[in-house]
Amino acid sequence: MVVAVVWFRNSLRIHDNPVLSWAYESENVDSILPIYIFDEEIQQKSTLTMGEQRLRFQFDCVDNLHQNLKDKLDLDLHVFLGDSIDVLESIKQQLQSFEVILLNEYSTNPRDRKQSESIEKNFFSTNQNWSAKSLPASQTILDIEAIVNSSGFKSPKSMKDMVRLFKTEFGDFDNIVFATSEPNPSVGKPKQALSVNSEYQISLDKIRPLLSKPTYFIGGESEAIARLENKVISQQDYVNSFNKPKSISTNTKDNPMEPTTTGLSPYISTGCLSIRRLWNSCSKIQQSGEHTVPPVSLHGQILFREMFYLLSRSVENWDQDSGNSQCKEIEWGELNQVQLEAWELGQTGFPLIDAMMRQLDATGWMHHLGRHAVSCFLTRGQLWQNWTHGRDIFERKLIDSDWALNNGNWLWLAGVAPFSMPYYRIYNPCPDSKSSLNVETKDAEFIRHWIPELAEFPSKYIFEPHLAPLHIQESAGCLIGKDYPSPIIDRKEARKRNLQSFKLSLEKLR
DNA sequence: GGATCCGTTGTAGCT
DNA sequence: AAGCTACAACGGATC
């Protein structure tokens, strides 16, 4: 008997999952064993590498996958807790008399790659009846490994490069539609039921109560498909006119937690939503009429994602400040634990920054432009801290954490990469009517929501409450320096100093 | 081969 | 109040 072990890692979905479809439709496969392996750390509610909301989101993705596999394909997702080699060894004990094909996923994340490597080295060499099968990437559109290893590969640096690459790979850019798979029960032979017993196996019901409750976004393929429908497929005008978001506000009238953007990123990073399906949904809408184009369109956003995946695989030390060809080693300041903590906890005395960081902590989400504002503030804008400190905090807290993208975006925003924005374009943490971050009434509401101390503050002073006359602070019931922090830095003075320091660092590097 | 252009996403000050 | 201008000025691609 041939057993296909489908190891779900970064594609927690049934739709457009080449590995699952292959197993389901293959004539050679008699039985399917879908597995998911949690690191033991999930029992701890939050850990060094995963914050509470991120852990919970991940759990809900697996929970939903378990449910959908049962309902739609009558398959039992086996969930384990422990080191992946130990878990696979224990599965091996149960499947000794079978021929086993392990379907593993490709990744650019060094942690995943190291794990896959050690599995190849220590597992397959000693288990003759086990084999591995690799299939096209499911995390990305491009076959990252193949492209990076192709002769004449050059790191893409701009949207132009990416559009060119897509044209070479897929032809006429305006009409790209990708083939996607769906497990089809009428193809292939019926699968035999199979179950294993392992000391590492754990029921999802045991883990659930250990974790925090989700505050807004619920993980899982079902939510992903519903969100795709609500925010993309049924929003044709929005898709066709998609452009750089101008307002930093995440508020919508009916639901203060709902982003003005699609909010699909956590579903893409966990693989609940296929990037190819999202691309196709956009293509279909755009065929109906006029539409924006890369870099600003939704397709453009996807191209940037692909670009960062290519870079993350081809650039040595992609996540490092030194030894990274895409990172200029700026002489950042010594780690300032007090300021870094104020930033992380939303206690900088800059309401916009603090609201964003408090939202991140509470929900695992932050608006795109908010990420720009807070990362600029931490690095070249005000606090002059190394971008890797902020990167770590984002990595841990964001429910859409993605190693390739998180590092790419920080390199971009810190102004250290060749593809990044010019270092002297510094976001104003206290935007006014002239700022690129448009100020709307909604933004004041957003700040009052996340910083209840400022709930009664007039809009006029909401971005810089310390400038409000004392009698206004008193009538708003919030004394700056007592009920809400005074600014931890003179933003204008710091901005000026940092511009000079950045320039000086660049000169030294030349 | 030097000049010019371009890169998804700026700010401050003056009129 | 919106619009213009100065600021600050990288580095690779292209002409």
Side-chain angles (χ1 to χ4, degrees):
Chain A
M1 187 164 107
V2 176
V3 179
V5 174
V6 179
W7 184 6
F8 286 90
R9 290 170 87 182
N10 298 314
S11 297
L12 306 180
R13 63 172 183 267
I14 290 174
H15 76 276
D16 190 33
N17 189 331
V19 158
L20 179 63
S21 285
W22 180 86
Y24 208 72
E25 293 168 10
S26 172
E27 287 290 341
N28 300 326
V29 173
D30 301 291
S31 194
I32 297 176
L33 183 71
I35 65 169
Y36 184 87
I37 305 172
F38 277 115
D39 202 290
E40 277 159 302
E41 66 177 16
I42 193 164
Q43 297 174 98
Q44 295 158 37
K45 194 171 190 178
S46 92
T47 69
L48 267 175
T49 50
M50 282 186 121
E52 289 180 31
Q53 286 298 311
R54 190 180 165 200
L55 269 176
R56 177 59 198 232
F57 191 85
Q58 184 79 14
F59 173 85
D60 284 335
C61 292
V62 177
D63 196 15
N64 184 243
L65 179 67
H66 177 262
Q67 193 68 47
N68 285 340
L69 281 170
K70 187 81 216 153
D71 294 349
K72 294 179 179 167
L73 303 175
D74 198 28
L75 292 172
D76 275 315
L77 181 68
H78 286 58
V79 178
F80 304 87
L81 201 63
D83 174 76
S84 48
I85 299 253
D86 296 341
V87 170
L88 290 174
E89 279 294 339
S90 80
I91 293 173
K92 190 194 82 178
Q93 301 299 322
Q94 303 274 311
L95 303 178
Q96 286 210 341
S97 53
F98 305 134
E99 187 186 334
V100 181
I101 304 169
L102 178 67
L103 299 154
N104 197 355
E105 257 186 70
Y106 168 82
S107 173
T108 66
N109 185 326
R111 240 191 335 238
D112 292 349
R113 298 181 65 77
K114 219 172 148 192
Q115 199 179 43
S116 294
E117 245 170 59
S118 84
I119 286 165
E120 247 162 63
K121 254 190 213 148
N122 305 315
F123 201 73
F124 288 113
S125 56
T126 55
N127 296 280
Q128 264 81 33
N129 55 341
W130 280 61
S131 63
K133 182 167 179 62
S134 57
L135 281 162
S138 44
Q139 270 193 92
T140 50
I141 289 170
L142 297 169
D143 186 341
I144 302 293
E145 191 73 14
I147 290 180
V148 165
N149 290 322
S150 66
S151 63
F153 169 75
K154 268 171 79 183
S155 292
K157 268 176 222 69
S158 66
M159 188 47 53
K160 231 180 174 175
D161 293 339
M162 289 309 295
V163 172
R164 202 179 300 140
L165 181 58
F166 262 56
K167 281 180 177 164
T168 318
E169 294 283 316
F170 310 115
D172 179 15
F173 190 85
D174 291 329
N175 293 303
I176 299 172
V177 176
F178 297 103
T180 59
S181 58
E182 215 50 64
N184 186 348
S186 60
V187 180
K189 62 181 164 193
K191 303 294 185 252
Q192 297 176 32
L194 176 75
S195 77
V196 298
N197 286 306
S198 154
E199 57 186 303
Y200 298 103
Q201 216 169 322
I202 187 163
S203 102
L204 290 166
D205 294 334
K206 284 244 170 66
I207 301 174
R208 192 179 294 104
L210 302 174
L211 304 175
S212 299
K213 295 253 184 309
T215 45
Y216 187 62
F217 288 93
I218 311 286
E221 182 177 9
S222 304
E223 284 281 333
I225 298 296
R227 181 167 279 274
L228 177 70
E229 180 65 39
N230 293 334
K231 301 286 282 203
V232 176
I233 295 171
S234 64
Q235 307 285 336
Q236 299 212 356
D237 292 346
Y238 171 76
V239 172
N240 282 330
S241 61
F242 193 89
N243 215 312
K244 313 177 260 201
K246 290 218 172 67
S247 168
I248 205 159
S249 163
T250 55
N251 282 6
T252 55
K253 223 178 184 175
D254 311 325
N255 185 350
M257 299 291 255
E258 178 60 30
T260 48
T261 47
T262 66
L264 285 172
S265 59
Y267 301 96
I268 298 168
S269 66
T270 49
C272 292
L273 178 65
S274 149
I275 196 70
R276 284 180 290 252
R277 179 177 276 204
L278 173 59
W279 177 284
N280 290 351
S281 297
C282 297
S283 300
K284 209 171 161 187
I285 292 167
Q286 294 185 347
Q287 277 157 16
S288 66
E290 268 190 34
H291 57 84
T292 55
V293 295
V296 301
S297 62
L298 276 172
H299 277 168
Q301 313 306 307
I302 296 175
L303 291 188
F304 275 110
R305 180 174 185 271
E306 300 284 321
M307 179 172 110
F308 280 164
Y309 266 86
L310 286 172
L311 291 171
S312 74
R313 179 67 188 100
S314 56
V315 174
E316 289 286 312
N317 302 312
W318 175 243
D319 57 358
Q320 302 292 316
D321 186 52
S322 62
N324 177 350
S325 66
Q326 303 294 303
C327 177
K328 282 170 266 201
E329 262 185 90
I330 298 303
E331 289 173 350
W332 300 109
E334 288 288 302
L335 171 62
N336 186 328
Q337 203 71 59
V338 174
Q339 289 192 345
L340 183 65
E341 198 163 290
W343 181 80
E344 177 176 2
L345 300 176
Q347 297 289 344
T348 66
F350 290 89
L352 180 69
I353 304 298
D354 292 344
M356 288 293 166
M357 294 305 290
R358 291 185 193 187
Q359 180 191 27
L360 170 63
D361 188 68
T363 70
W365 172 264
M366 194 194 297
H367 186 276
H368 174 65
L369 282 182
R371 300 181 196 200
H372 285 206
V374 301
S375 51
C376 185
F377 184 86
L378 180 71
T379 56
R380 66 197 158 83
Q382 270 72 35
L383 298 185
W384 199 244
Q385 294 287 292
N386 194 306
W387 60 275
T388 54
H389 302 317
R391 184 273 317 276
D392 290 339
I393 290 168
F394 269 29
E395 178 84 30
R396 190 170 168 276
K397 290 192 175 180
L398 280 169
I399 53 174
D400 59 18
S401 269
D402 181 310
W403 180 81
L405 310 187
N406 191 32
N407 282 289
N409 284 321
W410 275 93
L411 288 164
W412 185 308
L413 250 300
V416 296
F419 50 76
S420 62
M421 49 195 291
Y423 72 85
Y424 43 84
R425 297 205 168 156
I426 292 173
Y427 287 95
N428 187 346
C430 310
D432 52 38
S433 59
K434 284 172 284 182
S435 296
S436 67
L437 306 172
N438 278 13
V439 182
E440 301 175 10
T441 332
K442 285 189 285 184
D443 295 308
E445 280 171 30
F446 174 79
I447 285 169
R448 293 193 190 96
H449 181 264
W450 289 106
I451 309 180
E453 302 98 294
L454 298 174
E456 303 299 323
F457 242 80
S459 295
K460 188 182 173 189
Y461 298 104
I462 201 79
F463 291 105
E464 286 184 285
H466 68 287
L467 297 181
L470 197 60
H471 73 271
I472 290 186
Q473 296 184 26
E474 275 164 355
S475 65
C478 177
L479 298 178
I480 303 307
K482 179 171 166 280
D483 305 309
Y484 179 73
S486 302
I488 59 170
I489 198 164
D490 180 330
R491 68 176 172 93
K492 289 183 181 170
E493 196 250 326
R495 178 185 194 274
K496 217 170 148 186
R497 190 176 59 234
N498 296 345
L499 274 168
Q500 292 304 310
S501 305
F502 210 111
K503 188 181 162 187
L504 201 67
S505 269
L506 289 176
E507 278 167 9
K508 284 187 189 172
L509 288 172
R510 243 183 272 129

